Amino acid sequence: MQNCQCCVDESAVPRTGPNLKVIGTMSVGYDHIDLAACKKRNIAVGYTPGVLTDATAELAVALLLATSRRLIEGASAVKSGQWGSWSPLWMCGPGLLNSTVGIVGLGRIGLAIARRLRPFNVSRVLYTGRQPKDSAKEVSAEFVGLDTLLAESDFVVVSCAITPETTALFDRKRFAQMKRGAMFVNISRGAVVVQEDLVDALKNGVIRAAGLDVCTPEPLPVDSPLLALPSCVVLPHIGSAAEETRAVMSVMTAKNILAAFNNQPMPAQVKSPCLLNTSY
């Protein structure tokens, strides 16, 4: 989604003409669609919840490993001829073993991430959100306030929805609350982070590294300061980019649209057309 802003907004909807009856987005998020404009013109909106949970959780763990074990740096060193004789601390990074992982937003994806962390023998899983979740018992996750999560976590993973409360949630103040040497992973939305503050936090050693599958804007310009930082891994928003997942998403999107055309209930319709997803 481009910059987590409306791609189908108040100005775009009228240009489509009076025949537009349904919009199908191949995503679980729908913050790129002006839902108020759609409601005003009685346009149904379908989306694809649930089907990309596992793929996105897998990518979150991949980012944790790529960032902590410096995989991109290591691969780059091989290609650029920096791989020399063995050195005890060269390309070392912290492992997940016995670490504390904090998850911001224990919704479907957050819970799936926590499940995948168990074989790595992390010491603690903390989570924060609006209220405790019964599902947290499954992964022995502890509900704490955001301040506590930031202060005690070796790794912070953001998997919350984008809402007015979570927009710009991670700014200079929040990064300063994190443990020195902690690592930050965002698979949520770029707008959750004040990107300039993240750059400063990385440059000044406030946090050790970051792994991002989302950023602002998208696509990220090649001259972005983030891309000049070896401690930052940036991926092109590919959380759901597993072949099987995209196939299911495509079919669900088509079924949503066909159902609307046939005046039947959509398999997955956005039910609150003036509200963003609030799974945080």
Side-chain angles (χ1 to χ4, degrees):
M1 309 318 149
Q2 300 294 320
N3 203 13
C4 288
Q5 295 176 353
C6 292
C7 298
V8 183
D9 59 16
E10 179 68 35
S11 63
V13 171
R15 293 201 301 268
T16 61
N19 293 326
L20 180 62
K21 301 300 181 184
V22 59
I23 295 173
T25 179
M26 213 170 86
S27 63
V28 66
Y30 42 81
D31 46 290
H32 56 295
I33 299 173
D34 188 331
L35 300 177
C38 291
K39 181 181 181 181
K40 184 177 179 181
R41 291 165 177 79
N42 199 30
I43 298 169
V45 178
Y47 67 135
T48 58
V51 298
L52 49 75
T53 297
D54 290 327
T56 307
E58 286 177 5
L59 190 83
V61 175
L63 271 174
L64 280 169
L65 294 172
T67 306
S68 63
R69 298 301 302 272
R70 303 172 66 180
L71 301 186
I72 307 303
E73 285 183 80
S76 178
V78 173
K79 293 178 181 180
S80 61
Q82 298 177 51
W83 186 9
S85 58
W86 183 82
S87 176
L89 298 179
W90 188 65
M91 287 295 163
C92 281
L96 289 169
L97 178 66
N98 296 327
S99 67
T100 296
V101 179
I103 300 176
V104 181
L106 199 74
R108 288 188 298 265
I109 294 174
L111 184 63
I113 293 169
R115 290 193 191 108
R116 284 159 174 77
L117 290 175
R118 299 181 79 175
F120 291 94
N121 291 323
V122 301
S123 177
R124 301 168 69 201
V125 174
L126 309 179
Y127 76 100
T128 191
R130 288 194 176 94
Q131 59 190 9
K133 300 279 186 78
D134 290 338
S135 57
K137 298 174 184 177
E138 175 192 339
V139 291
S140 301
E142 306 169 43
F143 179 74
V144 297
L146 181 57
D147 292 350
T148 299
L149 182 145
L150 297 179
E152 298 185 8
S153 297
D154 302 297
F155 301 90
V156 174
V157 182
V158 183
S159 62
C160 60
I162 185 69
T163 68
E165 292 79 16
T166 60
T167 298
L169 178 64
F170 280 88
D171 56 9
R172 188 180 306 274
K173 173 188 173 183
R174 294 302 186 191
F175 289 122
Q177 289 180 280
M178 290 174 61
K179 291 174 68 172
R180 199 81 171 184
M183 299 191 169
F184 177 79
V185 167
N186 185 16
I187 51 92
S188 170
R189 286 290 187 268
V192 171
V193 177
V194 179
Q195 209 154 271
E196 296 81 3
D197 292 352
L198 174 59
V199 170
D200 289 342
L202 290 168
K203 282 184 175 180
N204 297 320
V206 176
I207 62 174
R208 182 166 179 171
L212 312 173
D213 187 43
V214 289
C215 50
T216 305
E218 294 180 359
L220 192 66
V222 294
D223 61 352
S224 168
L226 284 174
L227 300 182
L229 298 171
S231 58
C232 187
V233 175
V234 182
L235 300 179
H237 204 149
I238 54 173
S240 65
E243 293 176 354
E244 301 83 359
T245 300
R246 290 286 173 86
V248 174
M249 292 170 70
S250 299
V251 171
M252 183 178 287
T253 301
K255 287 182 176 179
N256 281 336
I257 294 171
L258 290 173
F261 278 140
N262 292 318
N263 295 316
Q264 297 175 351
M266 300 168 73
Q269 181 175 355
V270 177
K271 298 296 184 181
S272 302
C274 292
L275 299 176
L276 293 173
N277 187 339
T278 54
S279 62
Y280 167 60

